[in-house]
Amino acid sequence: MRFGRISSLLLVTALLSIAAAGCEREERRFREVPPAADQSTNVVQSDLQPGPSIVATATQHPYDDNAYAIASGKRLYVQMNCAGCHGLAGGGSIGPPLLDDKWIYGSDPSNIFSTIVEGRPNGMPSWKGKLSNDQVWQLVAYVRDLSGLHRKDVRNSRGDNMAAVQDEQNRNRQTPRSSFEPPGSVTTP
Amino acid sequence: MARGVALVAALATLGCLKESSDDRPTREAVSAASASASGLPVIAPAATSADDGQWTMPQKDYANSRYSSLAEITPENAKNLKLAFTFSTGILRGHEAGPLVVNNTMYVVTPFPNYLYALDLTKEGAPMKWRYDPKPAASAQGVACCDVVNRGAVYYDGKIIYNTLDAHTVAVDAKDGHEVWNTKVGDINLGESVTMAPLVAKGKVFVGNSGGEFGVRGWIVALDAGSGKIAWRAYNTGPDSEVKIGPQFKPFYDQDKGKDLGVKTWPGDAWRTGGANVWGWLAYDPELDLLYHGTGNPGPWNPEQRPGDNKWSSGIFARRPDDGSAVWYYQWSYHDTFDYDGINEQVLLDMQFGGRPRKVLVRAERNGYVYVLDRQTGEVLSATPFGFVNSSKGVDLKTGRLIYATDKQPKLGEVTRNICPSSPGMKDWQPTAYSPRTGYLYIPHQNLCMDHEAVEANYIAGTPYVGMIAKFTSGPGGNRGVFQAWDIVNRKEVWSIPEKFPVWSGTLVTAGDVAFYGTMDGWFKVVNAKTGDVVWKFKTGSGIIGQPITYKGPDGHQYVAIMDGVGGWSGAIVAGGIDPRDSTAALGFVNAMKDLPAATTKGGMLYVFSL
């Protein structure tokens, strides 16, 4: 009887922890401090470096695995009118497309962060002072989501509006092109 | 289920309208124009061009006829046309402008960065005399809704005058290319840009802003042609004092009478971000002393955010050029729910109507009707569809109101399908031409329908303010473009040439009875103006969206010129490198243009032909 009680308690605990682990799809960090609180440090814009090149280390984006942040980024993408220029589904219009593998100002999260904050000379507005760091990071997360750069289970699924393109979750990853590969490296599609 | 019902309803409507196509909506309401009374409509004599060997304004003349009396090129000899010279602008965006020819010099204005080139026609190969660079702000590209186009320059009193994308008007010495004046007329941080071709009359340069997709409040401004100083500015929304509505204002229809309608026909302060821009064509009648300009779509596109007539958007004003005073106004598309922008060109003609001579303006309007208006009063004499229309059921000639089809209205969060014509309308900015020899209006246009869904638009100054998701599709027949000859007197099509892509180029017709136009897949075509037979064509490097012109060269022979360089709203998929996977990109145009990148590439080349 006693043993039975303990075992059932253990069973419940075990079940609960399994259930809890199932919920733990992602770690929700709601108030993420950007790695470089200063909005302009350590961001390299060009692949071309004179002399010996520093091996580029990709920024670990705090929201890369955060479904909540990616979904919030989508909301901001519409509300802040990013969609008006880059297309609701990221196909581009006034601005360049975001659902492909071409990145004019870099695909690294830190590059996208500074593109949004600083603006770019050919029409990209500067959002400095208009959005919190947190919101910019959410946008960065969604911008990367448009070309399928996140793991599948955290991506956005089908939207509510008239469908324009395959939903984010089922898009194939569009690996950003980069010149950082050593000479002789071969890529196949 | 609801979708199924909507679809069935849409099909049913389609069926109905097709069956009743003989019984066009306006037919009974209008007294028939007298076809045989005294011949064909003539171009308003006071508004015609005196010197026909030149091309000094994009419209050819104040009447917007785009008709030249040069007659050396004919349907019979057009097959002998050959290239005289070419010139590359070095710019690869949509080239919507046509060149000017003045004093044996050709002037070419490019899309952003808005270079102005002068070419010497007296020398072999037409070498460059000079280039002027207005150095517009590069950021202006971010507030240009539909490619970074420019629709042309105008010659006046020794100067070439045109607008730059970053909302400046510049005057350049036609002889040596030095800048005479440069006036900032708008602010890109409000989303304003300028893409239209100015018109000069009575020593004033008239310029309007673009930005109907950015919540920009529309205006027209008059600059002193000598100094560039602003003489007056009239807004197209807001209180009467700012719209320049005063004692002279006598609109024909009752709904346009009343105080401050530019405020009262909007909810709250929505008129401040209500569009009604002036990015299209101006006309001027020196005899009546009236300046005519259309007004663009109301903003945002989502109509649920702006209940009311939304005056003075999607209409036409007749104003006094001296001080901007409004004399009359007519609204083509009240409470415009489809982006049926009212900025197309008006062709000023004198003709018999209902048995008596009338001074009219004829306009192939975006909402799908060819309108004939009395240009003294703003009365609608007739409105006849020139293609397949199901978004409306006609124009009520008693009230002047467009009769919208209730089942095609956009709704928040709901998709409405098969709306014809689509947002760019039956015809967009691409101007028509009129030949007094045939009595036909030559209409380059598109044949597109759309599905759309309204969504909430959020106003942030300098960013898009649209609130509509759309997808355009081909209209009935599958051809997305049409080049059409329209009999103005009998109000019917005479012939038409279907084109695969929208016909986004302008047109030109001459006394040799040939008409010219270009296609987005790069064919420059010469057509027998009477029969519609294509008598000659030439393949250009890039697709054509420019405006053909003709002139008499220093050798006394007739030349015809066209720019290639695909782009504009329809060609943004190529010029702007849009990803065709996103059907809703370019405000929905991409869905109808997915095969354009396989048909043409970017360009920017001038081609000049002669016999």
Side-chain angles (χ1 to χ4, degrees):
Chain A
M1 194 62 188
R2 211 178 150 207
F3 175 78
R5 211 173 174 183
I6 288 168
S7 69
S8 58
L9 252 177
L10 275 172
L11 186 67
V12 168
T13 316
L15 281 173
L16 275 175
S17 54
I18 289 168
C23 291
E24 181 68 4
R25 182 170 71 153
E26 42 156 330
E27 196 186 328
R28 287 199 177 180
R29 292 170 297 203
F30 295 102
R31 279 302 201 191
E32 196 58 53
V33 179
D38 175 355
Q39 296 180 341
S40 63
T41 48
N42 293 333
V43 178
V44 177
Q45 194 66 225
S46 173
D47 284 359
L48 181 63
Q49 297 177 31
S53 60
I54 305 159
V55 178
T57 47
T59 313
Q60 186 53 48
H61 181 24
Y63 289 150
D64 255 359
D65 53 359
N66 189 320
Y68 170 77
I70 295 167
S72 301
K74 181 171 187 169
R75 200 161 42 84
L76 284 167
Y77 183 79
V78 173
Q79 288 176 343
M80 303 313 290
N81 297 340
C82 312
C85 289
H86 294 288
L88 187 69
S93 287
I94 297 167
L98 300 175
L99 57 71
D100 59 10
D101 58 358
K102 250 166 57 184
W103 294 86
I104 303 170
Y105 300 112
S107 65
D108 190 84
S110 62
N111 287 134
I112 304 170
F113 185 91
S114 44
T115 295
I116 295 170
V117 170
E118 294 166 8
R120 293 295 176 232
N122 285 312
M124 173 71 192
S126 161
W127 293 89
K128 188 171 270 194
K130 308 289 199 292
L131 293 164
S132 68
N133 281 332
D134 212 43
Q135 289 173 314
V136 178
W137 279 123
Q138 291 175 346
L139 272 169
V140 171
Y142 183 63
V143 165
R144 289 169 59 82
D145 193 35
L146 283 164
S147 54
L149 297 183
H150 300 308
R151 27 176 251 253
K152 202 162 176 173
D153 61 339
V154 297
R155 292 190 206 161
N156 273 307
S157 53
R158 195 169 68 85
D160 296 331
N161 299 113
M162 183 162 70
V165 70
Q166 199 165 39
D167 61 77
E168 291 90 330
Q169 202 160 40
N170 291 311
R171 265 176 225 173
N172 291 328
R173 181 188 167 87
Q174 308 279 306
T175 306
R177 304 199 171 260
S178 165
S179 64
F180 284 120
E181 283 95 22
S185 65
V186 177
T187 53
T188 47
Chain B
M1 183 58 196
R3 263 187 197 171
V5 170
L7 184 64
V8 168
L11 285 173
T13 319
L14 188 65
C16 286
L17 275 188
K18 265 189 177 163
E19 277 164 33
S20 63
S21 62
D22 286 353
D23 184 28
R24 289 191 168 171
T26 59
R27 198 166 144 183
E28 286 125 80
V30 205
S31 58
S34 128
S36 56
S38 67
L40 303 171
V42 297
I43 301 164
T48 47
S49 159
D51 184 351
D52 232 355
Q54 305 202 106
W55 199 280
T56 63
M57 65 170 92
Q59 300 93 325
K60 181 68 172 82
D61 49 33
Y62 283 147
N64 283 241
S65 75
R66 290 178 169 83
Y67 169 79
S68 167
S69 65
L70 298 181
E72 189 181 354
I73 301 168
T74 65
E76 290 70 38
N77 65 20
K79 62 179 186 295
N80 301 322
L81 279 168
K82 56 187 188 308
L83 212 48
F85 64 91
T86 59
F87 175 78
S88 168
T89 67
I91 308 297
L92 296 174
R93 299 303 292 253
H95 284 63
E96 286 189 349
L100 298 177
V101 174
V102 187
N103 298 331
N104 290 326
T105 306
M106 179 177 283
Y107 300 92
V108 174
V109 60
T110 73
F112 176 89
N114 303 127
Y115 295 149
L116 175 66
Y117 294 101
L119 309 178
D120 188 346
L121 298 177
T122 63
K123 297 192 177 131
E124 188 182 18
M128 195 198 303
K129 280 173 140 174
W130 48 258
R131 185 193 74 158
Y132 163 73
D133 178 3
K135 303 183 180 73
S139 300
Q141 294 169 94
V143 293
C145 80
C146 312
D147 198 6
V148 293
V149 297
N150 183 288
R151 302 193 178 84
V154 59
Y155 172 84
Y156 180 78
D157 193 24
K159 295 184 278 281
I160 302 292
I161 302 169
Y162 70 105
N163 300 309
T164 61
L165 190 68
D166 64 342
H168 286 243
T169 304
V170 296
V172 179
D173 188 302
K175 281 205 184 71
D176 58 16
H178 84 260
E179 187 176 280
V180 181
W181 50 259
N182 180 331
T183 305
K184 184 178 174 178
V185 293
D187 181 1
I188 60 169
N189 282 320
L190 296 176
E192 288 180 318
S193 57
V194 182
T195 56
M196 55 92 78
L199 182 127
V200 186
K202 297 180 91 177
K204 288 192 171 64
V205 185
F206 303 102
V207 174
N209 62 355
S210 304
E213 282 63 51
F214 286 77
V216 168
R217 188 181 172 204
W219 45 250
I220 181 167
V221 68
L223 311 175
D224 179 85
S227 68
K229 289 204 171 66
I230 292 178
W232 54 260
R233 187 189 301 259
Y235 289 91
N236 297 325
T237 69
D240 285 354
S241 56
E242 294 178 15
V243 182
K244 297 202 175 286
I245 285 177
Q248 284 195 62
F249 187 58
K250 298 213 165 34
F252 191 83
Y253 298 102
D254 287 345
Q255 66 264 20
D256 302 318
K257 296 169 186 165
K259 195 171 159 40
D260 293 331
L261 295 181
V263 173
K264 290 175 186 163
T265 57
W266 297 86
D269 269 358
W271 57 270
R272 292 183 192 275
T273 52
N277 304 91
V278 184
W279 61 273
W281 297 109
L282 311 183
Y284 174 60
D285 185 334
E287 188 196 353
L288 301 176
D289 194 32
L290 288 175
L291 175 74
Y292 301 98
H293 72 85
T295 59
N297 60 284
W301 286 17
N302 177 354
E304 297 195 19
Q305 288 179 244
R306 46 173 176 81
D309 271 8
N310 309 135
K311 289 190 167 58
W312 307 91
S313 67
S314 293
I316 177 174
F317 269 114
R319 295 182 183 276
R320 294 287 175 215
D322 291 335
D323 62 1
S325 297
V327 175
W328 60 258
Y329 169 87
Y330 170 71
Q331 197 165 31
W332 314 106
S333 305
Y334 71 93
H335 183 60
D336 178 3
T337 52
F338 303 109
D339 181 39
Y340 288 165
D341 246 315
I343 58 76
N344 289 358
E345 71 293 342
Q346 35 278 320
V347 184
L348 311 186
L349 303 177
D350 289 357
M351 66 185 282
Q352 291 287 324
F353 200 102
R356 64 188 178 95
R358 301 290 286 257
K359 291 179 188 302
V360 305
L361 65 84
V362 176
R363 175 147 148 153
E365 180 54 20
R366 205 143 133 164
N367 62 17
Y369 298 85
V370 173
Y371 284 79
V372 179
L373 258 65
D374 184 317
R375 71 172 182 274
Q376 289 176 292
T377 64
E379 179 191 3
V380 180
L381 302 179
S382 71
T384 318
F386 61 106
F388 179 69
V389 178
N390 69 11
S391 60
S392 66
K393 297 181 181 305
V395 177
D396 182 333
L397 293 182
K398 283 207 183 71
T399 62
R401 300 278 265 189
L402 184 67
I403 305 159
Y404 284 112
T406 48
D407 59 336
K408 296 296 179 190
Q409 289 294 301
K411 290 183 192 73
L412 191 71
E414 246 180 71
V415 182
T416 311
R417 297 188 193 274
N418 191 39
I419 301 154
C420 314
S422 62
S423 296
M426 195 71 77
K427 185 185 89 68
D428 202 280
W429 74 279
Q430 65 272 42
T432 53
Y434 173 73
S435 168
R437 289 170 54 86
T438 58
Y440 303 159
L441 186 68
Y442 297 88
I443 314 175
H445 66 101
Q446 53 272 5
N447 173 37
L448 297 170
C449 301
M450 66 175 171
D451 298 347
H452 72 179
E453 175 190 352
V455 291
E456 192 180 336
N458 187 18
Y459 180 76
I460 304 172
T463 68
Y465 185 53
V466 174
M468 191 71 74
I469 308 172
K471 278 191 213 177
F472 303 169
T473 52
S474 333
N479 54 304
R480 285 159 278 176
V482 185
F483 186 69
Q484 182 182 41
W486 181 264
D487 182 330
I488 289 176
V489 169
N490 295 305
R491 303 202 306 278
K492 62 177 173 55
E493 175 185 305
V494 189
W495 50 257
S496 68
I497 304 169
E499 291 288 353
K500 184 176 181 184
F501 295 109
V503 183
W504 208 255
S505 84
T507 184
L508 152 75
V509 64
T510 70
D513 290 331
V514 280
F516 302 83
Y517 72 102
T519 68
M520 290 187 74
D521 49 354
W523 285 102
F524 183 53
K525 296 189 178 178
V526 186
V527 177
N528 181 324
K530 288 179 176 157
T531 64
D533 295 320
V534 176
V535 290
W536 184 75
K537 60 182 182 176
F538 181 90
K539 184 73 171 73
T540 54
S542 174
I544 298 171
I545 58 163
Q547 301 165 54
I549 65 135
T550 189
Y551 64 95
K552 191 188 276 184
D555 58 359
H557 289 291
Q558 185 183 358
Y559 290 78
V560 58
I562 185 72
M563 303 287 314
D564 80 0
V566 83
W569 187 7
S570 55
I573 187 170
V574 172
I578 295 175
D579 194 311
R581 285 173 293 179
D582 182 353
S583 310
T584 60
L587 300 162
F589 223 137
V590 160
N591 194 52
M593 304 302 287
K594 290 187 175 183
D595 50 346
L596 187 66
T600 192
T601 54
K602 296 183 199 185
M605 183 80 93
L606 167 79
Y607 298 82
V608 180
F609 305 94
S610 64
L611 291 169

